[in-house]
């Protein structure tokens, strides 16, 4: 608060929690060329919290402010996740590996709070707020790699591709009223929110290693990565005539789209063994990066930035 220089508070509260978990891990090796292992996990959680606080804020200009706050919240959710790893020795020179991780979760949370404070007993500020949120989230990450020895010791080639996705959506309400004892108008927030997120990453890499005599190796590698992120935040206010939540709250509603593209080309000469005192590594590379960011409100573009750098 303006003019404040400290304060103290005291409170009490209670909390109830419930949790359920289950999981299993499996390993399967039908031969010395193939191994598979994976696991699945499930959890269910919920908690209820109640707190009550009385406080005093020391003010050096208007007099101390006294207040009390009562909070109640409830949260619940469950999640499921799985992992799978496969290693396949195709022949004496080639190894293929694959791994995938996936998860899904949903959650709900609600809260209710009341608060009142005053500087003098007949000048009371009162507030009441209620919030509700529901979210769903899904993510997956997948990687495939092949490595092959080309016959000569340390001469090899490898190729890898990967893809990951993180997608979610949520709905919620935000309602609060603050009443003042003087002529200041009530501060009212009455919103409905809807959020959508979509984050994706695609990866590709290739490398080639060529031995140059004893303890020397020349490596050429290429790595590509593209990230895209879309986030929509739709916030609506109540139409005072119809009573429906159809009015866009322009202070909070946004659609944000970003992308990031990175190419990395590198040539490296390495000599000696890593722990030896005469170990050395010399590399040359190019790393062009392009990033874009677009922020809009409905059909109106607020920000549009594109940057390209070369490192």
């Amino acid at each position: 608060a303006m003019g404040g220089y400290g304060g103290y508070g005291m409170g009490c509260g209670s909390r109830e929690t419930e949790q359920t978990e289950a999981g299993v891990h499996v390993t399967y090796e039908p031969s010395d060329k193939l191994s598979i292992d994976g696991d699945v996990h499930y959890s269910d959680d919920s908690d209820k919290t109640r707190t009550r606080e009385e406080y005093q804020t020391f003010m050096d200009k208007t007099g101390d402010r006294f207040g009390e706050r009562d909070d109640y919240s409830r949260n619940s959710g469950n999640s499921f996740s799985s992992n799978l790893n496969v290693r396949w020795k195709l022949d004496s020179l080639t190894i293929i590996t694959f791994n995938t991780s996936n998860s899904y979760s949903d959650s709900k949370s609600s809260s209710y709070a009341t608060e009142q404070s005053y500087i003098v007993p007949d000048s009371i500020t009162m507030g009441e707020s209620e919030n509700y949120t529901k979210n769903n989230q899904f993510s997956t990450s997948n990687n495939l790699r092949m490595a092959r020895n080309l016959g000569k010791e340390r001469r090899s080639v490898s190729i890898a591709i990967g893809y990951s996705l993180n997608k979610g959506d949520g709905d919620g309400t935000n309602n609060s009223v603050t009443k003042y004892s003087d002529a200041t108008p009530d501060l009212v927030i009455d919103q409905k929110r809807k959020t959508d997120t979509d984050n994706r990453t695609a990866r590709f890499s290739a490398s080639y290693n060529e031995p140059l005599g004893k303890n020397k190796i020349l490596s050429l590698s290429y790595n590509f990565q593209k990230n895209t992120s879309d986030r929509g935040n739709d916030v609506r206010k109540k139409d005072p005539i119809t009573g429906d939540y159809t009015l866009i709250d322009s202070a909070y509603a946004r659609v944000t789209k970003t992308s990031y593209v990175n190419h990395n080309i590198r040539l490296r000469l390495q000599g000696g063994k890593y722990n030896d005192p005469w170990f050395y590594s010399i590399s040359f590379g190019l790393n062009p990066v392009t990033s874009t960011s677009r922020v809009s409100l409905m059909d109106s573009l607020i920000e549009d930035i594109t940057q390209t750098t070369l490192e």
Side-chain angles (χ1 to χ4, degrees), residues 185-229:
D186 295 348
L187 177 61
V188 179
I189 297 177
D190 189 1
Q191 299 173 330
K192 275 194 172 182
R193 306 184 308 272
K194 181 176 178 59
T195 60
D196 295 283
T197 59
D198 190 313
N199 302 313
R200 301 169 187 253
T201 302
R203 299 174 296 272
F204 172 79
S205 65
S207 66
Y208 174 77
N209 297 316
E210 176 65 31
L212 301 176
K214 186 178 180 180
N215 295 330
K216 294 185 181 68
I217 189 166
L218 183 67
S219 302
L220 177 64
S221 64
Y222 170 72
N223 292 276
F224 167 83
Q225 180 168 309
K226 180 178 181 180
N227 304 87
T228 60
S229 176

Short mmCIF file of all heavy atoms in Angstrom, two decimals, residues 185-229:
data_model
loop_
_atom_site.label_atom_id
_atom_site.label_comp_id
_atom_site.label_asym_id
_atom_site.label_seq_id
_atom_site.Cartn_x
_atom_site.Cartn_y
_atom_site.Cartn_z
N PRO A 185 -16.58 4.14 -6.99
CA PRO A 185 -17.44 3.09 -7.56
C PRO A 185 -16.89 1.69 -7.25
O PRO A 185 -15.69 1.49 -7.09
CB PRO A 185 -17.41 3.37 -9.07
CG PRO A 185 -16.96 4.78 -9.19
CD PRO A 185 -16.06 5.05 -8.03
N ASP A 186 -17.79 0.73 -7.16
CA ASP A 186 -17.38 -0.65 -6.95
C ASP A 186 -16.48 -1.11 -8.11
O ASP A 186 -16.71 -0.75 -9.28
CB ASP A 186 -18.59 -1.58 -6.86
CG ASP A 186 -19.44 -1.30 -5.64
OD1 ASP A 186 -18.98 -0.54 -4.77
OD2 ASP A 186 -20.56 -1.83 -5.56
N LEU A 187 -15.47 -1.91 -7.79
CA LEU A 187 -14.61 -2.50 -8.81
C LEU A 187 -15.11 -3.93 -9.08
O LEU A 187 -15.05 -4.79 -8.19
CB LEU A 187 -13.15 -2.53 -8.34
CG LEU A 187 -12.14 -3.20 -9.27
CD1 LEU A 187 -12.10 -2.47 -10.62
CD2 LEU A 187 -10.76 -3.24 -8.63
N VAL A 188 -15.61 -4.17 -10.28
CA VAL A 188 -16.23 -5.44 -10.62
C VAL A 188 -15.47 -6.10 -11.77
O VAL A 188 -15.20 -5.46 -12.79
CB VAL A 188 -17.71 -5.26 -11.02
CG1 VAL A 188 -18.33 -6.60 -11.39
CG2 VAL A 188 -18.49 -4.61 -9.88
N ILE A 189 -15.11 -7.37 -11.59
CA ILE A 189 -14.52 -8.18 -12.66
C ILE A 189 -15.41 -9.40 -12.83
O ILE A 189 -15.67 -10.14 -11.87
CB ILE A 189 -13.09 -8.61 -12.32
CG1 ILE A 189 -12.17 -7.39 -12.19
CG2 ILE A 189 -12.55 -9.55 -13.39
CD1 ILE A 189 -10.75 -7.73 -11.77
N ASP A 190 -15.90 -9.59 -14.04
CA ASP A 190 -16.79 -10.72 -14.33
C ASP A 190 -16.42 -11.24 -15.71
O ASP A 190 -16.83 -10.70 -16.73
CB ASP A 190 -18.25 -10.25 -14.28
CG ASP A 190 -19.23 -11.41 -14.37
OD1 ASP A 190 -18.77 -12.57 -14.45
OD2 ASP A 190 -20.44 -11.16 -14.35
N GLN A 191 -15.62 -12.30 -15.74
CA GLN A 191 -15.04 -12.78 -16.99
C GLN A 191 -15.25 -14.28 -17.17
O GLN A 191 -15.34 -15.04 -16.20
CB GLN A 191 -13.53 -12.52 -17.03
CG GLN A 191 -13.12 -11.08 -16.94
CD GLN A 191 -11.61 -10.95 -16.81
OE1 GLN A 191 -10.93 -11.82 -16.26
NE2 GLN A 191 -11.07 -9.86 -17.33
N LYS A 192 -15.26 -14.67 -18.43
CA LYS A 192 -15.14 -16.08 -18.81
C LYS A 192 -13.91 -16.18 -19.71
O LYS A 192 -13.71 -15.37 -20.60
CB LYS A 192 -16.38 -16.57 -19.54
CG LYS A 192 -17.49 -17.03 -18.61
CD LYS A 192 -18.55 -17.83 -19.37
CE LYS A 192 -19.55 -18.45 -18.39
NZ LYS A 192 -20.56 -19.28 -19.10
N ARG A 193 -13.09 -17.20 -19.46
CA ARG A 193 -11.83 -17.36 -20.19
C ARG A 193 -11.79 -18.71 -20.91
O ARG A 193 -12.27 -19.71 -20.39
CB ARG A 193 -10.63 -17.25 -19.24
CG ARG A 193 -10.59 -16.01 -18.41
CD ARG A 193 -9.30 -15.96 -17.59
NE ARG A 193 -9.08 -17.18 -16.83
CZ ARG A 193 -9.55 -17.38 -15.62
NH1 ARG A 193 -10.28 -16.46 -15.01
NH2 ARG A 193 -9.30 -18.53 -14.99
N LYS A 194 -11.15 -18.69 -22.07
CA LYS A 194 -10.88 -19.93 -22.79
C LYS A 194 -9.47 -19.83 -23.36
O LYS A 194 -9.15 -18.86 -24.05
CB LYS A 194 -11.89 -20.16 -23.91
CG LYS A 194 -11.67 -21.46 -24.69
CD LYS A 194 -12.76 -21.67 -25.71
CE LYS A 194 -12.50 -22.95 -26.53
NZ LYS A 194 -12.44 -24.16 -25.66
N THR A 195 -8.64 -20.80 -23.05
CA THR A 195 -7.26 -20.79 -23.53
C THR A 195 -6.98 -22.05 -24.34
O THR A 195 -7.50 -23.13 -24.04
CB THR A 195 -6.26 -20.72 -22.36
OG1 THR A 195 -6.45 -21.86 -21.50
CG2 THR A 195 -6.47 -19.44 -21.56
N ASP A 196 -6.17 -21.89 -25.37
CA ASP A 196 -5.73 -23.01 -26.20
C ASP A 196 -4.24 -22.85 -26.46
O ASP A 196 -3.78 -21.77 -26.83
CB ASP A 196 -6.48 -23.03 -27.54
CG ASP A 196 -7.97 -23.29 -27.36
OD1 ASP A 196 -8.33 -24.46 -27.13
OD2 ASP A 196 -8.75 -22.33 -27.44
N THR A 197 -3.49 -23.91 -26.27
CA THR A 197 -2.05 -23.89 -26.55
C THR A 197 -1.68 -25.05 -27.46
O THR A 197 -2.25 -26.14 -27.35
CB THR A 197 -1.23 -23.98 -25.25
OG1 THR A 197 -1.56 -25.19 -24.56
CG2 THR A 197 -1.50 -22.79 -24.34
N ASP A 198 -0.75 -24.79 -28.35
CA ASP A 198 -0.28 -25.82 -29.29
C ASP A 198 1.18 -25.54 -29.57
O ASP A 198 1.52 -24.60 -30.28
CB ASP A 198 -1.11 -25.76 -30.58
CG ASP A 198 -0.85 -26.95 -31.49
OD1 ASP A 198 0.34 -27.26 -31.71
OD2 ASP A 198 -1.79 -27.56 -31.98
N ASN A 199 2.06 -26.35 -28.98
CA ASN A 199 3.50 -26.20 -29.16
C ASN A 199 4.06 -27.44 -29.86
O ASN A 199 3.83 -28.57 -29.38
CB ASN A 199 4.20 -26.01 -27.81
CG ASN A 199 3.67 -24.82 -27.05
OD1 ASN A 199 3.54 -23.74 -27.61
ND2 ASN A 199 3.37 -25.00 -25.77
N ARG A 200 4.78 -27.24 -30.94
CA ARG A 200 5.32 -28.36 -31.72
C ARG A 200 6.80 -28.14 -32.01
O ARG A 200 7.23 -27.02 -32.26
CB ARG A 200 4.55 -28.52 -33.04
CG ARG A 200 3.06 -28.75 -32.85
CD ARG A 200 2.29 -28.63 -34.15
NE ARG A 200 0.86 -28.70 -33.92
CZ ARG A 200 0.09 -29.74 -34.23
NH1 ARG A 200 0.64 -30.82 -34.80
NH2 ARG A 200 -1.19 -29.72 -33.99
N THR A 201 7.53 -29.24 -32.03
CA THR A 201 8.96 -29.20 -32.36
C THR A 201 9.29 -30.35 -33.29
O THR A 201 8.95 -31.51 -33.00
CB THR A 201 9.83 -29.30 -31.10
OG1 THR A 201 9.52 -28.24 -30.20
CG2 THR A 201 11.31 -29.23 -31.46
N ALA A 202 9.96 -30.04 -34.41
CA ALA A 202 10.44 -31.06 -35.35
C ALA A 202 11.96 -30.98 -35.42
O ALA A 202 12.52 -29.88 -35.47
CB ALA A 202 9.83 -30.85 -36.73
N ARG A 203 12.62 -32.14 -35.39
CA ARG A 203 14.08 -32.18 -35.37
C ARG A 203 14.60 -33.17 -36.42
O ARG A 203 14.00 -34.22 -36.66
CB ARG A 203 14.58 -32.61 -33.98
CG ARG A 203 14.18 -31.69 -32.86
CD ARG A 203 14.60 -32.26 -31.50
NE ARG A 203 13.90 -33.52 -31.21
CZ ARG A 203 12.73 -33.58 -30.61
NH1 ARG A 203 12.10 -32.48 -30.26
NH2 ARG A 203 12.17 -34.75 -30.37
N PHE A 204 15.75 -32.81 -37.00
CA PHE A 204 16.46 -33.73 -37.89
C PHE A 204 17.95 -33.48 -37.73
O PHE A 204 18.40 -32.34 -37.64
CB PHE A 204 16.07 -33.49 -39.36
CG PHE A 204 16.91 -34.27 -40.33
CD1 PHE A 204 16.65 -35.61 -40.55
CD2 PHE A 204 17.98 -33.68 -40.98
CE1 PHE A 204 17.44 -36.35 -41.43
CE2 PHE A 204 18.78 -34.41 -41.85
CZ PHE A 204 18.50 -35.75 -42.08
N SER A 205 18.70 -34.55 -37.69
CA SER A 205 20.15 -34.41 -37.59
C SER A 205 20.83 -35.54 -38.36
O SER A 205 20.30 -36.64 -38.47
CB SER A 205 20.61 -34.43 -36.11
OG SER A 205 20.34 -35.68 -35.52
N ALA A 206 22.01 -35.23 -38.88
CA ALA A 206 22.83 -36.21 -39.59
C ALA A 206 24.29 -35.90 -39.31
O ALA A 206 24.67 -34.73 -39.21
CB ALA A 206 22.54 -36.19 -41.09
N SER A 207 25.09 -36.94 -39.18
CA SER A 207 26.52 -36.73 -38.92
C SER A 207 27.33 -37.82 -39.60
O SER A 207 26.86 -38.94 -39.81
CB SER A 207 26.80 -36.72 -37.41
OG SER A 207 26.53 -37.99 -36.85
N TYR A 208 28.58 -37.43 -39.92
CA TYR A 208 29.51 -38.38 -40.54
C TYR A 208 30.87 -38.20 -39.88
O TYR A 208 31.35 -37.07 -39.70
CB TYR A 208 29.64 -38.12 -42.04
CG TYR A 208 30.69 -38.96 -42.72
CD1 TYR A 208 30.45 -40.30 -43.01
CD2 TYR A 208 31.93 -38.43 -43.05
CE1 TYR A 208 31.41 -41.08 -43.62
CE2 TYR A 208 32.90 -39.19 -43.67
CZ TYR A 208 32.64 -40.52 -43.95
OH TYR A 208 33.60 -41.29 -44.54
N ASN A 209 31.49 -39.30 -39.48
CA ASN A 209 32.80 -39.29 -38.82
C ASN A 209 33.81 -40.04 -39.68
O ASN A 209 33.56 -41.18 -40.11
CB ASN A 209 32.71 -39.95 -37.44
CG ASN A 209 31.79 -39.22 -36.51
OD1 ASN A 209 31.81 -38.00 -36.43
ND2 ASN A 209 30.94 -39.96 -35.80
N GLU A 210 34.96 -39.40 -39.93
CA GLU A 210 36.01 -39.99 -40.75
C GLU A 210 37.32 -39.96 -39.96
O GLU A 210 37.82 -38.88 -39.59
CB GLU A 210 36.18 -39.22 -42.05
CG GLU A 210 37.32 -39.70 -42.94
CD GLU A 210 37.10 -41.11 -43.46
OE1 GLU A 210 35.93 -41.50 -43.66
OE2 GLU A 210 38.10 -41.82 -43.68
N PRO A 211 37.90 -41.13 -39.66
CA PRO A 211 39.18 -41.16 -38.94
C PRO A 211 40.33 -40.71 -39.84
O PRO A 211 40.39 -41.05 -41.02
CB PRO A 211 39.33 -42.64 -38.54
CG PRO A 211 38.53 -43.39 -39.56
CD PRO A 211 37.39 -42.49 -39.93
N LEU A 212 41.24 -39.89 -39.26
CA LEU A 212 42.41 -39.40 -39.99
C LEU A 212 43.66 -39.83 -39.22
O LEU A 212 44.26 -39.06 -38.48
CB LEU A 212 42.36 -37.87 -40.12
CG LEU A 212 41.15 -37.28 -40.84
CD1 LEU A 212 41.22 -35.76 -40.80
CD2 LEU A 212 41.08 -37.78 -42.28
N GLY A 213 44.04 -41.06 -39.37
CA GLY A 213 45.21 -41.54 -38.66
C GLY A 213 44.85 -41.87 -37.21
O GLY A 213 43.70 -41.89 -36.79
N LYS A 214 45.89 -42.08 -36.41
CA LYS A 214 45.70 -42.48 -35.02
C LYS A 214 45.19 -41.32 -34.17
O LYS A 214 45.77 -40.24 -34.16
CB LYS A 214 47.02 -43.00 -34.45
CG LYS A 214 46.88 -43.58 -33.06
CD LYS A 214 48.21 -44.12 -32.57
CE LYS A 214 48.08 -44.70 -31.17
NZ LYS A 214 49.38 -45.25 -30.67
N ASN A 215 44.08 -41.55 -33.47
CA ASN A 215 43.50 -40.59 -32.51
C ASN A 215 43.11 -39.25 -33.14
O ASN A 215 43.08 -38.23 -32.46
CB ASN A 215 44.46 -40.34 -31.34
CG ASN A 215 44.66 -41.58 -30.50
OD1 ASN A 215 43.77 -42.43 -30.41
ND2 ASN A 215 45.84 -41.70 -29.91
N LYS A 216 42.85 -39.25 -34.44
CA LYS A 216 42.32 -38.05 -35.09
C LYS A 216 41.04 -38.42 -35.83
O LYS A 216 40.96 -39.48 -36.45
CB LYS A 216 43.32 -37.44 -36.08
CG LYS A 216 44.59 -36.88 -35.47
CD LYS A 216 45.42 -36.20 -36.54
CE LYS A 216 46.72 -35.65 -35.99
NZ LYS A 216 47.64 -36.75 -35.57
N ILE A 217 40.06 -37.52 -35.74
CA ILE A 217 38.80 -37.80 -36.42
C ILE A 217 38.20 -36.48 -36.91
O ILE A 217 38.26 -35.45 -36.24
CB ILE A 217 37.82 -38.53 -35.47
CG1 ILE A 217 36.60 -39.01 -36.25
CG2 ILE A 217 37.41 -37.65 -34.30
CD1 ILE A 217 35.76 -40.02 -35.49
N LEU A 218 37.66 -36.52 -38.12
CA LEU A 218 37.01 -35.38 -38.73
C LEU A 218 35.50 -35.64 -38.75
O LEU A 218 35.06 -36.70 -39.23
CB LEU A 218 37.53 -35.15 -40.16
CG LEU A 218 36.98 -33.93 -40.90
CD1 LEU A 218 37.47 -32.63 -40.24
CD2 LEU A 218 37.40 -33.98 -42.37
N SER A 219 34.73 -34.69 -38.25
CA SER A 219 33.28 -34.88 -38.15
C SER A 219 32.55 -33.76 -38.89
O SER A 219 32.91 -32.59 -38.77
CB SER A 219 32.83 -34.87 -36.68
OG SER A 219 33.48 -35.88 -35.94
N LEU A 220 31.52 -34.14 -39.63
CA LEU A 220 30.65 -33.20 -40.30
C LEU A 220 29.23 -33.47 -39.82
O LEU A 220 28.76 -34.61 -39.88
CB LEU A 220 30.74 -33.36 -41.82
CG LEU A 220 29.79 -32.47 -42.65
CD1 LEU A 220 30.13 -30.99 -42.46
CD2 LEU A 220 29.85 -32.86 -44.13
N SER A 221 28.56 -32.42 -39.35
CA SER A 221 27.21 -32.63 -38.80
C SER A 221 26.27 -31.53 -39.28
O SER A 221 26.68 -30.40 -39.55
CB SER A 221 27.25 -32.65 -37.27
OG SER A 221 27.65 -31.40 -36.75
N TYR A 222 25.01 -31.90 -39.35
CA TYR A 222 23.94 -30.96 -39.69
C TYR A 222 22.77 -31.20 -38.75
O TYR A 222 22.34 -32.35 -38.55
CB TYR A 222 23.49 -31.13 -41.14
CG TYR A 222 22.23 -30.35 -41.45
CD1 TYR A 222 22.26 -28.96 -41.55
CD2 TYR A 222 21.01 -31.01 -41.64
CE1 TYR A 222 21.11 -28.24 -41.83
CE2 TYR A 222 19.85 -30.29 -41.93
CZ TYR A 222 19.91 -28.91 -42.02
OH TYR A 222 18.76 -28.20 -42.28
N ASN A 223 22.27 -30.12 -38.15
CA ASN A 223 21.12 -30.21 -37.25
C ASN A 223 20.08 -29.17 -37.65
O ASN A 223 20.41 -28.01 -37.91
CB ASN A 223 21.55 -29.95 -35.80
CG ASN A 223 22.43 -31.05 -35.25
OD1 ASN A 223 21.95 -32.07 -34.78
ND2 ASN A 223 23.74 -30.83 -35.31
N PHE A 224 18.86 -29.62 -37.70
CA PHE A 224 17.73 -28.74 -38.03
C PHE A 224 16.69 -28.85 -36.94
O PHE A 224 16.39 -29.95 -36.45
CB PHE A 224 17.11 -29.14 -39.37
CG PHE A 224 15.78 -28.48 -39.63
CD1 PHE A 224 15.71 -27.20 -40.15
CD2 PHE A 224 14.59 -29.15 -39.34
CE1 PHE A 224 14.49 -26.59 -40.38
CE2 PHE A 224 13.36 -28.55 -39.57
CZ PHE A 224 13.31 -27.27 -40.10
N GLN A 225 16.13 -27.70 -36.54
CA GLN A 225 15.07 -27.71 -35.54
C GLN A 225 14.08 -26.59 -35.84
O GLN A 225 14.47 -25.46 -36.14
CB GLN A 225 15.63 -27.53 -34.13
CG GLN A 225 14.56 -27.54 -33.04
CD GLN A 225 15.13 -27.66 -31.65
OE1 GLN A 225 15.93 -28.54 -31.36
NE2 GLN A 225 14.72 -26.76 -30.77
N LYS A 226 12.81 -26.93 -35.78
CA LYS A 226 11.75 -25.95 -35.98
C LYS A 226 10.76 -26.04 -34.83
O LYS A 226 10.24 -27.12 -34.54
CB LYS A 226 11.03 -26.17 -37.30
CG LYS A 226 9.92 -25.15 -37.55
CD LYS A 226 9.25 -25.36 -38.89
CE LYS A 226 8.15 -24.30 -39.12
NZ LYS A 226 7.48 -24.47 -40.43
N ASN A 227 10.52 -24.92 -34.16
CA ASN A 227 9.55 -24.82 -33.08
C ASN A 227 8.42 -23.87 -33.49
O ASN A 227 8.70 -22.78 -33.98
CB ASN A 227 10.18 -24.30 -31.78
CG ASN A 227 11.37 -25.11 -31.34
OD1 ASN A 227 12.49 -24.87 -31.76
ND2 ASN A 227 11.13 -26.08 -30.49
N THR A 228 7.21 -24.28 -33.28
CA THR A 228 6.06 -23.40 -33.48
C THR A 228 5.21 -23.41 -32.22
O THR A 228 5.07 -24.44 -31.56
CB THR A 228 5.20 -23.84 -34.68
OG1 THR A 228 4.71 -25.16 -34.46
CG2 THR A 228 6.00 -23.79 -35.96
N SER A 229 4.67 -22.26 -31.89
CA SER A 229 3.86 -22.12 -30.69
C SER A 229 2.67 -21.23 -30.98
O SER A 229 2.83 -20.10 -31.45
CB SER A 229 4.69 -21.55 -29.54
OG SER A 229 3.89 -21.32 -28.39
#
